[in-house]
Amino acid sequence: METLSIIISAPLLVELFCVMALMAIFLFRWKPETINDDLPLVTVFVPFYNEDKALLLTALDKIEQQEYSSRIQVLIIDDGSTNDTPDYVSQWLQQERKQDYVLLNKPKNTGRKGAALDFALEQQVATGEIYIVVDSDTFIEPGGILALANKIWSHPGYAAVCGYVVPKNRESNLLCKSQFYEHIGVHGALRTSQDQLGVVPVLAGAFVAHRASAVRELGGWSEWLVEDISWCWKALAHRYRTGYTAQAIATTQCPENNDALFRQRRRWSRGRVEAFWETWKVSPVMGVVSLPWFLISATEFLFPPIFIAMPLFAVLDMWLPFSLMATALLVESVFIFFFIAKTGNAHNLNRVEMAMLPLFTHLLRFITWIPNILGYLDEITGKDKKWLTR
């Protein structure tokens, strides 16, 4: 039993070290961002398929209200919708608008967001040097596009940068609340530190900016099921930077029931494996370099979650892995507290809520443990690639 305890403790020790290192990077290297007055033209891509018209029109209203140094070009991409939402979009466009809008109609839906984005590229109407992709149920907060464009233009090595995307419907139920706390806590803290290294391995595809020249060099998004993760890893394999900014805030609709959440997390899990294979295709050397990160990520999502592992360790008198998990939970809590405090506490959390953030995150990992395992198996066994959320 002692040997097994040591074997189990090894990946937990690595994970603990990584969290501590990222927290140290955040504390010693992070500083508030300043806005550059000289930013290039921006093109926003808004793909939609059978979206609820109220959500889509609200998303467009939020883009319309954005302030930027020049008019923002917005490509609204109807990905073969079969409902009446495109009619409402056409009516919305008949009014005089502050931004420049182009409605593109893709004849047939192919089940992948990346294909809709590539369709828009093929029309050769995008004029911006920065491409910003926004999901049709995502609402950008004031100044969000300016902050995101400013971040990607702050370093010539950035290929893509994502914003601070949080669930809007957090009060719907405990599931939504857990997702909200996950996004504003551990996701934001880790990505902020990873940004200091220029390696943010998972970009939030609901609100993400791409350097247009990098898109032209690396190609589009349509070959993957989870285009945001895979494109990100492909960019890293080509020695680009990827980044994150907590100043570019957007809210989105998160899954409100177990079935929708399971399908989403199963797809995301498959996307991590898909991205790892993409790295190997680009460069075996970079595949080897990315292997440790992939293994750490796999351990995080496939290892039994805290609410299963810690009671089991206690019953089996395996106190070394138990103590490592408890220490990691404490360090994570401290890290999240510093992240929220130093980045402005945009969601006005009190200290009790801050303390609860890691517990809600691990509750969500417990709920989504099986979908994560299934997602890895889907890619390894070569199952048909389906979007899973429609």
Side-chain angles (χ1 to χ4, degrees):
M1 189 65 71
E2 183 177 350
T3 301
L4 179 60
S5 177
I6 293 173
I7 293 173
I8 292 174
S9 298
L12 297 176
L13 183 61
V14 171
E15 185 177 348
L16 173 60
F17 173 79
C18 289
V19 174
M20 293 178 67
L22 288 171
M23 182 172 68
I25 289 169
F26 173 76
L27 291 175
F28 292 106
R29 294 186 57 176
W30 181 85
K31 59 183 179 180
E33 297 158 15
T34 55
I35 297 295
N36 179 5
D37 295 328
D38 186 22
L39 294 173
L41 296 175
V42 166
T43 297
V44 177
F45 293 69
V46 187
F48 73 93
Y49 169 65
N50 286 352
E51 185 60 87
D52 178 277
K53 62 179 181 293
L55 291 177
L56 177 55
L57 295 182
T58 301
L60 294 177
D61 283 334
K62 293 292 185 180
I63 295 172
E64 174 70 7
Q65 294 163 16
Q66 295 293 307
E67 296 293 337
Y68 194 68
S69 56
S70 58
R71 286 170 69 95
I72 299 170
Q73 182 190 45
V74 185
L75 305 184
I76 309 172
I77 311 157
D78 173 16
D79 191 12
S81 295
T82 57
N83 64 2
D84 60 356
T85 296
D87 297 331
Y88 285 91
V89 173
S90 297
Q91 293 174 21
W92 187 88
L93 291 174
Q94 289 176 6
Q95 303 177 41
E96 185 176 349
R97 297 294 174 185
K98 179 171 70 173
Q99 318 296 1
D100 292 326
Y101 295 88
V102 179
L103 177 59
L104 302 174
N105 296 293
K106 186 169 175 285
K108 184 179 179 180
N109 179 271
T110 54
R112 297 188 195 178
K113 173 182 166 184
L117 297 174
D118 283 353
F119 171 79
L121 287 179
E122 291 164 3
Q123 308 313 302
Q124 298 184 349
V125 294
T127 58
E129 293 182 65
I130 298 173
Y131 296 157
I132 294 181
V133 179
V134 181
D135 279 359
S136 55
D137 60 354
T138 297
F139 308 154
I140 305 173
E141 293 296 304
I145 285 181
L146 176 61
L148 199 61
N150 181 73
K151 180 64 177 181
I152 196 170
W153 221 246
S154 67
H155 192 292
Y158 277 129
V161 167
C162 71
Y164 191 12
V165 183
V166 299
K168 184 177 182 63
N169 50 334
R170 60 169 165 166
E171 299 301 334
S172 297
N173 52 43
L174 181 62
L175 207 59
C176 293
K177 188 180 290 290
S178 297
Q179 292 172 80
F180 172 77
Y181 284 138
E182 175 193 44
H183 280 77
I184 68 169
V186 66
H187 281 187
L190 292 176
R191 286 172 179 163
T192 299
S193 291
Q194 291 162 348
D195 172 71
Q196 301 303 306
L197 303 173
V199 182
V200 180
V202 178
L203 299 178
F207 184 37
V208 59
H210 295 78
R211 189 178 295 267
S213 59
V215 173
R216 289 192 291 269
E217 177 188 348
L218 302 182
W221 299 271
S222 62
E223 65 179 288
W224 307 298
L225 179 66
V226 188
E227 84 294 330
D228 47 356
I229 302 177
S230 294
W231 199 95
C232 170
W233 279 53
K234 184 176 183 178
L236 291 171
H238 280 88
R239 312 299 174 88
Y240 277 102
R241 294 171 63 96
T242 56
Y244 170 82
T245 174
Q247 293 186 2
I249 302 174
T251 59
T252 193
Q253 301 298 118
C254 69
E256 295 187 347
N257 56 67
N258 283 329
D259 183 53
L261 178 65
F262 280 21
R263 285 183 280 132
Q264 180 198 67
R265 296 309 170 102
R266 184 173 181 173
R267 180 169 56 85
W268 287 4
S269 179
R270 181 170 189 172
R272 287 188 287 272
V273 187
E274 187 180 47
F276 181 60
W277 296 148
E278 181 61 33
T279 304
W280 278 92
K281 287 194 296 183
V282 171
S283 166
V285 172
M286 292 304 296
V288 172
V289 170
S290 65
L291 181 59
W293 177 260
F294 176 75
L295 293 177
I296 292 170
S297 175
T299 299
E300 176 185 355
F301 288 101
L302 301 183
F303 196 88
I306 278 181
F307 290 115
I308 294 176
M310 289 188 72
L312 184 62
F313 293 153
V315 169
L316 297 177
D317 288 330
M318 300 174 69
W319 297 109
L320 178 58
F322 181 95
S323 61
L324 286 172
M325 270 196 159
T327 303
L329 184 62
L330 176 62
V331 172
E332 196 175 283
S333 301
V334 174
F335 187 5
I336 291 172
F337 174 81
F338 280 122
F339 163 71
I340 292 174
K342 289 174 74 68
T343 56
N345 193 7
H347 302 284
N348 300 313
L349 301 181
N350 58 44
R351 291 178 181 272
V352 174
E353 288 178 305
M354 289 187 197
M356 294 295 290
L357 288 180
L359 293 178
F360 276 101
T361 298
H362 287 287
L363 172 63
L364 197 61
R365 289 180 183 172
F366 169 71
I367 295 171
T368 60
W369 182 38
I370 298 302
N372 277 316
I373 294 173
L374 292 176
Y376 276 77
L377 292 175
D378 286 344
E379 183 65 16
I380 292 171
T381 58
K383 290 191 66 173
D384 289 342
K385 295 188 177 183
K386 298 179 180 179
W387 185 247
L388 295 177
T389 57
R390 293 289 186 187

